[in-house]
Amino acid sequence: MRFRPLPTLFPGSHSFEVGGIAQRYHVHGSGPVCVAHPGGPGINWAYLRTPALEEHLTMVYVEPIGTGASGRLPSHPHGYTRERYSRFLELLINNLGVCRVHLLGHAHGALIAAHHAVHRPERLAGVVLYEGAPATGHGYADGTGHESEQAVAGRTAGPVLAASEAVPCVSSLDEDLTPDTIDDRASLRGLTVPAMVILGRNDVSSGSEWGREVAEVIPGARLLVLKDGGHSAHVDETASFTRAIRDFVQDVPAVRTAGRTVVATGRSAHSPTARRARG
């Protein structure tokens, strides 16, 4: 029997408002729901679109507040902290109307996904931290890899970025201009959501050692190293990237106690709530 998807998950673009701020997202594919948060902050979502994943999963691509057709905070271009992104992410997930989703975050989006998984794990079936880090500073590019993500956008077959959207237009400072300091090394040790870490061995933007450290501190995390991948591993090694995430979604009950590293060589082992998201 085939089930008709919920209206919130019909293919195409959707939006809803929270406290007068629009949150836009884009749905492609079919299967278990995976919400994907792009990097930046301030990068157009389209560079992260992966049609190969859409053959296995219902991909929900977040268009973060402060970018594209999503709304702006009154404090724009400031105030776009991980906590505020996570609040909007929570509302988006609730709005979808499904029990649990998988969450994929890339680069700065991985920092947001990690924060969300630690502080709001209730609706998550699993989390994929793609080119993330346990902290910022000390050699990891905070902000994170704008140039790299723009380059990816130019190499993908997806929508071409408008010139006005190719350049980051938001900061990661809070409304009072204080930095959004990130150090998740302690909190990630208590993560209860099944986790997978993906990194490209040749990533010169984030540095693969940071992804390895993320995997080391998360109990039972699965680590995938894409030996020919860089910061844009979903483009560099699409087949291995797709297979790994597909398998993770299928295997997620076993991932809690199945911490391991896989080096990919072309084959892979193995009703909305109306709370304000501002403030």
Side-chain angles (χ1 to χ4, degrees):
M1 178 182 295
R2 298 189 63 181
F3 295 93
R4 182 177 177 82
L6 295 167
T8 55
L9 289 169
F10 284 171
S13 300
H14 304 256
S15 66
F16 61 95
E17 287 199 0
V18 180
I21 299 177
Q23 173 64 74
R24 190 170 175 84
Y25 64 95
H26 309 269
V27 179
H28 298 278
S30 62
V33 177
C34 180
V35 177
H37 202 294
I43 296 292
N44 184 289
W45 67 276
Y47 84 90
L48 190 55
R49 185 174 176 190
T50 310
L53 274 178
E54 298 161 14
E55 297 179 9
H56 310 282
L57 304 172
T58 298
M59 295 299 300
V60 177
Y61 299 98
V62 180
E63 188 165 338
I65 54 170
T67 67
S70 285
R72 284 12 179 200
L73 296 174
S75 57
H76 185 85
H78 307 299
Y80 298 95
T81 62
R82 285 200 304 169
E83 173 61 18
R84 190 157 287 110
Y85 279 127
S86 178
R87 293 179 192 175
F88 274 87
L89 190 55
E90 179 184 32
L91 294 169
L92 187 155
I93 291 170
N94 290 345
N95 183 73
L96 295 178
V98 296
C99 292
R100 295 197 302 168
V101 304
H102 284 80
L103 177 60
L104 163 67
H106 176 236
H108 185 264
L111 302 179
I112 295 168
H115 180 88
H116 193 84
V118 167
H119 297 284
R120 297 176 174 89
E122 297 81 12
R123 303 293 293 272
L124 298 185
V127 62
V128 179
L129 304 177
Y130 167 32
E131 300 296 356
T136 53
H138 308 293
Y140 182 84
D142 189 16
T144 45
H146 291 317
E147 298 84 358
S148 178
E149 284 147 28
Q150 291 177 49
V152 176
R155 293 168 54 195
T156 61
V160 177
L161 296 184
S164 62
E165 294 179 324
V167 179
C169 57
V170 303
S171 81
S172 57
L173 300 177
D174 207 344
E175 295 172 327
D176 60 0
L177 305 186
T178 58
D180 186 20
T181 303
I182 297 172
D183 188 340
D184 293 333
R185 284 171 287 194
S187 60
L188 286 175
R189 294 185 187 279
L191 186 65
T192 59
V193 177
M196 180 175 197
V197 176
I198 298 179
L199 61 90
R201 180 179 286 171
N202 302 316
D203 182 7
V204 296
S205 176
S206 302
S208 63
E209 69 274 13
W210 295 106
R212 292 179 184 275
E213 187 174 350
V214 172
E216 289 173 1
V217 300
I218 297 175
R222 178 182 296 187
L223 171 62
L224 174 71
V225 180
L226 293 166
K227 74 178 185 69
D228 295 320
H231 194 66
S232 54
H234 66 290
V235 176
D236 301 327
E237 292 202 47
T238 304
S240 295
F241 178 85
T242 298
R243 189 180 301 112
I245 294 177
R246 179 202 64 193
D247 291 350
F248 173 73
V249 170
Q250 293 175 346
D251 299 346
V252 78
V255 172
R256 291 183 184 274
T257 57
R260 56 182 180 261
T261 300
V262 177
V263 178
T265 58
R267 294 179 57 188
S268 172
H270 311 190
S271 159
T273 56
R275 296 193 301 274
R276 291 174 66 88
R278 294 162 48 192

